[in-house]
Amino acid sequence: MNRSSGRRTWGELPAEATSFVGRRRELGQVAHLLARARLVTVTGPGGVGKTRTAVRAARELRADFSSGVQLVELSALSDPELLANTVAAALDLPEQTARSPIEVVTAHLAERELLLLLDTCEHLVDACALLCDELLRAAPGLRILATSRQPLDVAGEHVLALGPLSVPEPDATGPEGASEALELFADRASAAVPGFTVDDGNRADALALCRRLDGIPLAIELAVSQLRALSLGEVLARLDDRFRLLTGGRRTSVPRHQTLRTAIGWSHGLSTARERLLWARLSVFAGEFGLQAAEAVCADPSERVGPASGVALPVEDVLGALIGLVEKSVVIRVETPEGTRYRLLDTIREFGREQLTALGGEETVRRRHLAYFEEVARSFDEEWTGDAQVPLLRALVRDRANVRAALEYCVSSPRLHGHGLRMATALWGYWHTTGLLTEGRYWLRRTLDGCRDETPVRVKALWLSSWYADLQGERGGNEELLKEAEAIAGRIGDPVGAAWTLAFQAHRRCFSGSMDHCAEDFTEARERMTALGDDTGLLMIGFYGGFMLILSGDHERGIAWCDDSLARSAAHPGEQWARGWALWVKSVGLWLRGDHEEAVACAQESLRSKAALHDLMGVAHCLEGLAWYAARLRRFDRVAVLQGAADGLWRRFAKEARFGIPTLHALHADAAAQARSALGDDGYQDAFAEGGSLPLDPVVELALTVEPAAGARRSGPADVLTPRERQVAALVADGRTNREVAAELAVSKRTVDSHVEHILTKLGFTSRAQIAALRAPAAPDAAIPSPRV
């Protein structure tokens, strides 16, 4: 099953785009240190290969950790307050809970044996140190492997200083003459220039180049890229010229950090003017970016491009310059399910940022970056309930680092707070579906505090904040948020905002345990939205209001509201979010009305929609409903597995399972009681624990393979039996004697004798063999399901 979010699956590490060279001694050291210590930090200068080495070490050690390995990439994160959120997202933990992200992470890791790889910590060293200290105290089975340009300085930390690749002295022979740096050069050169090999004729020059670059992997790779245009001898000569300039003509070596900067600067000097300009402007991107984004942010407006404009970068030249930077190993090409994307290594980005500052115009490029991603957010909001929903969400997840960078730019610039508020508000569907409610509330709070303008955007941000707090189990302050939203909407004449605010006032009361006037308020809000032609509002209020109606006992009207929402979403077959919720709410109404088979069909369709979006809150609800059905089918192992899987999700994103709604609690408890009765407490707990430990995809597949009711419940002879009689009949059909059935169900043999007699009478049978025949394939409509998965 394809997970739309674009996240890697559990324990998966990024694929190695190029071969891994050398570092066997260092890999052994990492393994040795992690066997002794719970925190190991790989340190070293930029470009020395810390990330590649750590990822390779983690891959080789993955089998030692029962819960696998998880990589958390921090290079694109600038705000230390979002560090725990970033770790939670990497662990696939939604933020749909009142607990802080660090509490969610520590609770998740507490009983797991896992290797956590924190990559690029130096710009967040204090925050990373605090995080590591807290996680290691709370999770005894956790090991942390970090990469940083400096140690984290945490108690118990073991540091491995990663040096450059080995380069032999000019006169070294035998084993001393072996060179990891030369091996890297030869590997990358053969890839860059087909047919190129290191042989006796050029080995001395190749070694001299590696030696001149101090064996720093990134510097070597940058130099190799020049072989596409220059001979090895020319590359070496030009590099020597740059070092002589740097050292005033002296033959003394320069420090290694200067070696790397010189190598980067050399690549910069060999780039064309437009490539250099693009390099500087690309430095405003955080993480990955696509060609369209590069063109929008980095190209000059058409009116600035002309004969007298000096160096300029027309939009039609961005691709060519980008290709040139890729060929020079300045820009890294990344293949994703969404297409080709690009990124800069940290040291390359830092150099580009310095050049952008020196060139001037940094503010202009940052504003274009903000404008681009503000437009991404606006388009996402406009199209969120349309056919492009899934690809839009996938793309936005890919752009998460740039979205954060744009929002941070807004909140750090007082005159841009309004832009930040519009952007954070437009992303409401993204925050909700990906489970990033805590982060969404964080940006909404910061932008609301910075922008006090009374606008419809502020009204929406206020009721969104209340809604997210409801979902996270927080009640304090919600009423004030909604009162402010109501007051502003009245003062500025915002009927749409007023209607949504009224709906979420009822939502707040319901989640607080009071159903008073909820149905009336939802009905009024719906009438207002109808009059205003608010299609998105009507789409959502169909299932939110429908759920309140169903919970209040008005099943018919609640189902009808869901049907209205489904009819609206039918115009956009690619829309999954609202459709999935409407199907789930309808399934609850149908189940409570007694239409169990139709309810299951709705729940399964909802599960497919929620799984496609990786909407874990929706998946948990669906698993609960399908567990009710498994109980009806007497598939009690499956009941326990599905409830265990749902419970695992609830604990990850909710303060209380099933959001504390009594109706859902009662349905859960009834299915669990039946399963415990059939399996015994130990059997139930074993299956429950199994469900909680399963990855998401197998759980979804299991839930979707529950047998349809036509083979088990629809108009078959067994419908006349009570639940206990069906349970007894299933065991008899399995070949159990009455005494064995009594032992299985912990009742007396006399009770079982009575049940069997009643079964024979109700079904018009005269022998136990006829009960067993109900399980035969020739009579599927009459079959009695097995009590086992």
Side-chain angles (χ1 to χ4, degrees), residues 470 475 482 499-529 541-554 557-558 561 661:
D470 278 342
R475 307 290 175 252
L482 292 169
W500 283 82
T501 300
L502 177 62
F504 281 100
Q505 285 171 332
H507 185 276
R508 182 193 63 80
R509 292 199 304 275
C510 178
F511 269 66
S512 299
S514 172
M515 298 295 294
D516 294 344
H517 305 295
C518 284
E520 293 88 338
D521 284 354
F522 267 110
T523 299
E524 182 181 344
R526 185 170 184 246
E527 290 171 352
R528 293 187 191 181
M529 290 175 180
I541 207 168
F543 56 83
Y544 266 114
F547 191 40
M548 304 306 143
L549 290 168
I550 288 168
L551 293 178
S552 66
D554 194 346
R557 195 152 65 112
W561 279 34
I661 296 174

Side-chain angles (χ1 to χ4, degrees), residues 212-241:
R212 204 72 183 88
L213 295 173
D214 280 332
I216 298 174
L218 177 56
I220 292 171
E221 298 208 23
L222 289 172
V224 164
S225 69
Q226 304 306 322
L227 291 175
R228 296 186 179 98
L230 302 171
S231 69
L232 175 56
E234 289 172 325
V235 171
L236 179 59
R238 288 170 181 252
L239 184 61
D240 272 339
D241 288 342

Side-chain angles (χ1 to χ4, degrees), residues 334-411:
V334 183
E335 295 300 331
T336 75
E338 288 69 54
T340 300
R341 292 171 66 83
Y342 307 90
R343 67 181 177 90
L344 297 176
L345 295 178
D346 295 338
T347 47
I348 299 291
R349 183 185 296 108
E350 290 168 7
F351 188 94
R353 187 73 53 83
E354 292 173 6
Q355 301 304 310
L356 183 61
T357 301
L359 288 169
E362 180 177 3
E363 189 72 10
T364 298
V365 180
R366 287 192 173 279
R367 286 296 295 266
R368 290 206 295 253
H369 181 274
L370 168 60
Y372 179 82
F373 285 101
E374 190 176 359
E375 176 61 22
V376 166
R378 188 197 64 79
S379 297
F380 178 85
D381 190 16
E382 279 191 357
E383 301 178 46
W384 170 236
T385 54
D387 284 318
Q389 186 177 84
V390 172
L392 277 172
L393 184 64
R394 288 175 175 170
L396 200 52
V397 168
R398 285 277 177 191
D399 281 326
R400 180 181 180 184
N402 283 299
V403 167
R404 279 180 169 176
L407 286 167
E408 184 61 40
Y409 178 56
C410 289
V411 299

Side-chain angles (χ1 to χ4, degrees), residues 180-256:
E180 291 181 337
L182 181 61
E183 184 182 353
L184 176 67
F185 173 85
D187 180 84
R188 300 302 190 258
S190 64
V193 182
F196 182 95
T197 59
V198 175
D199 53 28
D200 291 341
N202 62 16
R203 180 174 282 101
D205 282 350
L207 279 170
L209 180 67
C210 293
R211 196 176 299 113
R212 204 72 183 88
L213 295 173
D214 280 332
I216 298 174
L218 177 56
I220 292 171
E221 298 208 23
L222 289 172
V224 164
S225 69
Q226 304 306 322
L227 291 175
R228 296 186 179 98
L230 302 171
S231 69
L232 175 56
E234 289 172 325
V235 171
L236 179 59
R238 288 170 181 252
L239 184 61
D240 272 339
D241 288 342
R242 290 193 64 86
F243 276 99
R244 288 193 190 97
L245 280 173
L246 187 65
T247 59
R250 297 184 302 275
R251 299 188 63 81
T252 53
S253 64
V254 296
R256 277 179 178 145

Side-chain angles (χ1 to χ4, degrees), residues 623-624 627 638-651 668 684 687-694 699:
L623 295 180
E624 287 279 358
R638 185 165 299 199
V639 172
V641 168
L642 294 178
Q643 288 188 333
D647 181 75
L649 294 176
W650 287 118
R651 285 187 285 107
H668 171 90
Y684 176 85
F688 187 91
E690 178 189 351
S693 66
L694 286 174
V699 169

Side-chain angles (χ1 to χ4, degrees), residues 300-306 309:
D300 287 311
S302 57
E303 63 270 16
R304 285 188 52 197
V305 179
S309 63

